[in-house]
């Protein structure tokens, strides 16, 4: 396990050399907000890191409902029954095991590790929409990796926690753009056109730090994010809609 801190955001990485999976603890004045719940193995490391910070974990936010981001959710909720659970209104359906698509959405199949119906016992307390604020964090709808994927920016420091909207492991890339050294986020992406549009929106936020689900945090990332979106757009155009 590896722990890295930037401003009020603590990155906790499991399997940092083999298959890095990140979760984040965001320090507020009165407690901690966990972003993503990693894999089942993550439970002890999350609790130990929270204890070392000396504040109660009061909120758990999910960027999306893939298995490597919700793995310890049920056991965390059992351990911390007072913690509130947040997820986007759209991905709450995936968390419940419903992979059907809504009218008006691109009809490309949902990919990646989505739980089977009733496999996740935890029910969200609040469903998020674009622009909602949770403590110092603002929710930013960033669909593409999943239909209801969300990112979060810390208004104090402009650290952007972008889930799998981007990846840094194997090289910075927009969700859906294949990186041979770490192809898993691309393979699990629902709709690449939507992912590219979301990545462009996130780049325009001019974050101070980019923090994602897989890979180390990146300082002053805006120029690199824009270059990644340009690369993805070029490949998208050349391939007639395929990254």
């Amino acid at each position: 396990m590896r722990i890295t801190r930037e401003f009020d955001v603590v990155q906790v990485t499991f399997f940092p050399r083999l298959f890095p999976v990140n979760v984040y603890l965001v320090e507020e004045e009165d407690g901690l907000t966990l972003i993503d719940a990693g894999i089942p193995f993550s439970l002890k490391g999350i609790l130990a890191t929270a204890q070392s910070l000396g504040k109660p974990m009061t909120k758990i936010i999910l960027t999306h409902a893939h298995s490597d981001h919700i793995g310890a959710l049920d056991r965390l909720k059992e351990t911390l029954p007072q913690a509130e659970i947040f997820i986007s209104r759209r991905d709450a359906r995936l968390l419940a095991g419903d992979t059907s698509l809504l009218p008006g959405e691109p009809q490309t199949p949902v990919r990646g590790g989505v739980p089977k119906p009733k496999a996740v016992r935890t029910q969200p307390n609040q469903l998020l929409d674009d622009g909602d604020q949770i403590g110092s964090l603002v929710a930013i709808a960033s669909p593409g990796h999943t239909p209801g994927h969300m990112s979060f920016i810390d208004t104090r420091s402009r650290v952007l926690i972008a889930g799998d909207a981007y990846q840094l492991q194997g090289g910075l890339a927009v969700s859906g753009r294949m990186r041979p050294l770490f192809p898993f986020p691309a393979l699990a992406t629902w709709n690449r056109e939507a992912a590219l549009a979301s990545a462009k929106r996130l780049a325009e936020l001019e974050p101070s730090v980019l923090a994602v689900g897989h890979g180390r945090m990146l300082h002053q990332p805006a120029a690199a994010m824009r270059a990644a979106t340009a690369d993805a757009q070029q490949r998208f155009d050349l391939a007639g809609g395929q990254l």
Side-chain angles (χ1 to χ4, degrees):
M1 189 173 83
R2 183 181 66 218
I3 297 174
T4 310
R5 185 184 188 106
E6 295 290 348
F7 301 98
D8 298 296
V9 177
V10 177
Q11 181 190 64
V12 185
T13 305
F14 300 92
F15 302 120
R17 294 184 178 178
L18 298 174
F19 187 103
V21 174
N22 297 324
V23 306
Y24 294 90
L25 284 162
V26 180
E27 274 203 87
E28 303 281 0
E29 288 189 6
D30 57 350
L32 302 171
T33 298
L34 176 69
I35 299 182
D36 284 336
I39 53 180
F41 173 82
S42 306
L43 177 70
K44 288 185 178 179
I46 291 171
L47 294 175
T49 306
Q51 185 175 25
S52 73
L53 295 172
K55 293 182 179 179
M57 189 191 308
T58 58
K59 299 180 180 67
I60 300 173
I61 303 174
L62 303 171
T63 60
H64 61 294
H66 276 158
S67 56
D68 57 332
H69 294 255
I70 64 170
L73 179 63
D74 280 342
R75 293 184 66 194
L76 280 166
K77 184 62 175 174
E78 291 169 4
T79 306
L80 304 168
Q82 79 285 357
E84 293 183 283
I85 311 300
F86 300 74
I87 191 171
S88 75
R89 191 174 304 282
R90 177 63 183 88
D91 260 23
R93 294 164 58 96
L94 292 187
L95 188 66
D98 180 359
T99 59
S100 64
L101 296 165
L102 300 176
E105 289 181 337
Q107 298 298 300
T108 47
V110 174
R111 303 180 187 279
V114 176
K116 294 181 179 178
K118 299 182 181 179
V120 177
R121 299 185 301 277
T122 302
Q123 299 292 317
N125 299 97
Q126 293 194 36
L127 303 182
L128 297 173
D129 295 307
D130 184 55
D132 284 350
Q133 187 151 4
I134 313 103
S136 299
L137 301 167
V138 173
I140 304 157
S142 46
H145 189 67
T146 63
H149 188 286
M150 274 204 165
S151 303
F152 300 90
I153 192 163
D154 190 325
T155 55
R156 299 166 295 183
S157 61
R158 302 199 64 75
V159 174
L160 175 66
I161 299 104
D164 284 354
Y166 282 88
Q167 71 177 79
L168 284 159
Q169 185 69 17
L172 175 60
V174 172
S175 181
R177 170 77 165 90
M178 186 71 74
R179 289 298 189 201
L181 293 178
F182 197 77
F184 310 106
L187 294 172
T189 294
W190 160 61
N191 185 271
R192 294 171 180 179
E193 186 173 13
L196 177 55
S198 293
K200 290 179 179 178
R201 182 187 182 198
L202 295 175
E204 293 309 311
L205 295 175
E206 298 281 346
S208 63
V209 175
L210 175 63
V212 300
H214 307 284
R216 291 179 178 270
M217 292 191 278
L218 179 66
H219 291 210
Q220 300 301 325
M225 292 168 72
R226 283 192 284 271
T229 63
D231 169 70
Q233 182 69 64
Q234 182 182 42
R235 288 178 175 270
F236 188 85
D237 293 342
L238 289 172
Q242 298 294 320
L243 290 177

